[in-house]
Amino acid sequence: MPDKNAQVLAGKVAVITGSGGGIGRAIAEAMVREGAAVTIVDINGDNAAKVAAQIQETGGRALAVTCDVGDRAQVRETLRRTVAEFGSLDILVNNAHDLREVKTTLLDTDDEHLLRSLRSGLFGTFYFMQESYPHLKNTAGAVVNIGSAAGVRGLASYYSYAVTKEAIRATTRAGANEWGPDGIRVNTICPAAYDTPSMSHWKTKSEEELAQAASFNPLRRLGTADDIASVAVFLAGPAAGYITGHTLMVDGGSTIDAGR
């Protein structure tokens, strides 16, 4: 009989970008609980160091790396340090995204705003996938990219963000098709979590407003970073061994009618 208490990621090594807080941090902590060693990657080095230190204090293995994911040289160095520290790479989670001034309409978006979003989101994902490929091929690894319902729906006033997130989903499908023969699985999560720094404005809402927001999805509750993290662990683990090229909406059913 299988051991129900076995850690599903025991012995694995994961790199999680944007893991100095929010969903990325929750994913890193969840993967550590399941036995993985993790590299905490964040543009804010202090945040990365704090998360890594807290993981180490609980007996987990963690490396903190300050990295601008839009700089290929820094991406390459992050992976070099990871493999030097832990010996391999099994899991890549592309979560980082510059969330400054996320809201812009198609007409109001200028080149700078669009390029900033593409640099952190799309190019960060692109660089990490390309540079990770030799390591992931060696371990028949898994990639989990983070998309958004904003892209699936073409959400009004989120043009740069939505375009970037849909480009990441296209990258997922291309990676799944091209790298499947190497045993590498590539999937996307489109999350809805309301207890993260980027969604901090929800903390100012009244109980009535929160209940009304929750009423728009079939499960009638607001999601948390832990809801997202558990799905990332699943997609990175053996139970998802026959799943690739898929977008999983982890949003309580909010996009059930999105026609994706």
Side-chain angles (χ1 to χ4, degrees):
M1 293 289 292
D3 182 356
K4 294 181 179 179
N5 297 317
Q7 295 174 306
V8 299
L9 301 180
K12 302 296 185 182
V13 176
V15 167
I16 303 107
T17 71
S19 50
I23 289 173
R25 175 176 182 166
I27 291 173
E29 291 172 341
M31 289 190 172
V32 168
R33 287 194 296 272
E34 291 297 337
V38 297
T39 298
I40 306 298
V41 182
D42 206 281
I43 197 168
N44 185 318
D46 289 340
N47 286 350
K50 288 176 184 176
V51 173
Q54 289 172 352
I55 288 172
Q56 291 164 355
E57 287 171 6
T58 64
R61 295 185 299 157
L63 170 70
V65 179
T66 305
C67 177
D68 176 353
V69 300
D71 183 319
R72 186 186 285 273
Q74 292 186 43
V75 170
R76 190 177 292 127
E77 175 63 11
T78 297
L79 295 169
R80 186 199 66 77
R81 289 183 60 189
T82 297
V83 175
E85 178 74 15
F86 299 124
S88 62
L89 176 63
D90 304 272
I91 301 162
L92 170 65
V93 180
N94 286 304
N95 169 71
H97 199 127
D98 187 335
L99 294 174
R100 291 174 295 169
E101 301 176 57
V102 173
K103 295 186 69 173
T104 57
T105 67
L106 192 156
L107 289 177
D108 290 336
T109 298
D110 59 22
D111 291 2
E112 180 183 358
H113 191 280
L114 179 58
L115 289 171
R116 186 169 68 235
S117 180
L118 290 169
R119 184 179 186 276
S120 63
L122 176 60
F123 278 84
T125 298
F126 170 63
Y127 291 155
F128 262 99
M129 285 181 64
Q130 277 198 337
E131 297 296 331
S132 294
Y133 171 75
H135 306 294
L136 295 171
K137 183 178 180 181
N138 285 340
T139 59
V143 179
V144 180
N145 294 327
I146 304 299
S148 174
V152 175
R153 287 189 177 278
L155 191 63
S157 301
Y158 285 81
Y159 176 72
S160 295
Y161 183 71
V163 165
T164 301
K165 289 301 191 182
E166 283 298 271
I168 289 172
R169 289 214 302 149
T171 300
T172 292
R173 293 191 294 271
N177 275 311
E178 294 176 11
W179 297 358
D182 297 313
I184 303 170
R185 298 180 297 104
V186 189
N187 292 289
T188 294
I189 294 173
C190 288
Y194 296 90
D195 62 342
T196 63
S198 63
M199 300 293 282
S200 60
H201 60 280
W202 283 92
K203 294 180 180 178
T204 65
K205 303 290 186 182
S206 67
E207 290 296 326
E208 183 178 348
E209 289 173 316
L210 291 172
Q212 183 178 14
S215 71
F216 288 107
N217 74 56
L219 294 182
R220 302 297 193 270
R221 72 173 179 86
L222 300 178
T224 69
D226 287 339
D227 288 321
I228 314 306
S230 62
V231 177
V233 168
F234 164 71
L235 288 175
Y242 202 52
I243 299 174
T244 194
H246 184 62
T247 295
L248 189 53
M249 312 300 295
V250 189
D251 61 3
S254 299
T255 50
I256 205 165
D257 60 344
R260 57 186 178 278

